[in-house]
Amino acid sequence: MIATPDRTPLPREFFARPVLEVAPDLLGRILVRTTPDGPIALRLTEVEAYDGPNDPGSHAYRGRTPRNDVMFGPPGHVYVYFTYGMWHCMNLVCGPDGTASAVLLRAGEIIEGAELARTRRLSARNDKELAKGPARLATALDVDRTLDGTDACASGDTPLRILNGTPASSDQVRNGPRTGVAGDGGDGDVHPWRFWIANDPTVSPYRAHVPRRRRS
DNA sequence: CAGTCGATTCACT
DNA sequence: GTGAATCGACTGA
């Protein structure tokens, strides 16, 4: 018998801890996206940690800019970036105010509002693929830069909230190198800061970083 | 101000 | 497995 997920909101203090502590603890939590058409809820199954200005793989590595400004702010807020000219990815800001660390939400299982998610993810061949990958996750939840800076810990009307859910037990958590991160591998250290739930079918496949060939 | 490339995805072979 | 799509942020001259 499966316990009903706990829908208590996660408090800001949850996110104020060190990012490497928060990231694995996020697995099994529930993200609720409230759209004009209704709610979409997602159970997190895969995340990656980015450890502020000390982390070459992080957008915060080269300092504060208009794009990454939210990362430098208080924890519990959402950092959304636009990439490859067509996709969005979403993060949750962690650590004390000013730390600039964040967790990239890479994959999850849609547990509510799948019919809404399907209309945004027409290329998905099945429901496991709706949010299998960070840009797919953002697309399924209708997240773009207009939500950058949203407080996921605010009470009342919010487009995004994060709930307690059913945290993954530590023996179900796996970790390994981050996907597609230029700062990892090579001459630098590989940070095994990708965390996922073992054997979960919604987790995205690992890919090493490949520099893009120059366009003709 | 031009050049480079990205915390990716999808269609094809 | 390979390559295209697509644009804005960032870099360095």
Side-chain angles (χ1 to χ4, degrees), chain A residues 75-182:
Chain A
H77 290 241
V78 177
Y79 166 52
V80 181
Y81 67 89
F82 181 62
T83 191
Y84 287 98
M86 57 193 115
W87 309 113
H88 295 274
C89 296
M90 72 177 293
N91 299 255
L92 290 165
V93 176
C94 295
D97 196 346
T99 326
S101 57
V103 174
L104 172 69
L105 309 186
R106 288 198 56 91
E109 174 196 4
I110 304 285
I111 59 175
E112 188 184 328
E115 63 286 355
L116 295 174
R118 285 185 205 113
T119 67
R120 309 205 156 274
R121 292 275 303 116
L122 296 179
S123 66
R125 289 173 301 191
N126 57 66
D127 283 3
K128 314 282 190 211
E129 291 185 353
L130 286 175
K132 180 186 280 197
R136 290 169 168 184
L137 184 154
T139 301
L141 297 184
D142 194 21
V143 169
D144 63 21
R145 277 229 102 196
T146 64
L147 292 182
D148 185 51
T150 299
D151 185 359
C153 298
S155 49
D157 283 357
T158 42
L160 282 167
R161 280 174 304 153
I162 180 139
L163 313 178
N164 196 63
T166 307
S169 63
S170 56
D171 63 337
Q172 288 300 303
V173 175
R174 300 289 180 274
N175 71 291
R178 296 177 295 188
T179 298
V181 174

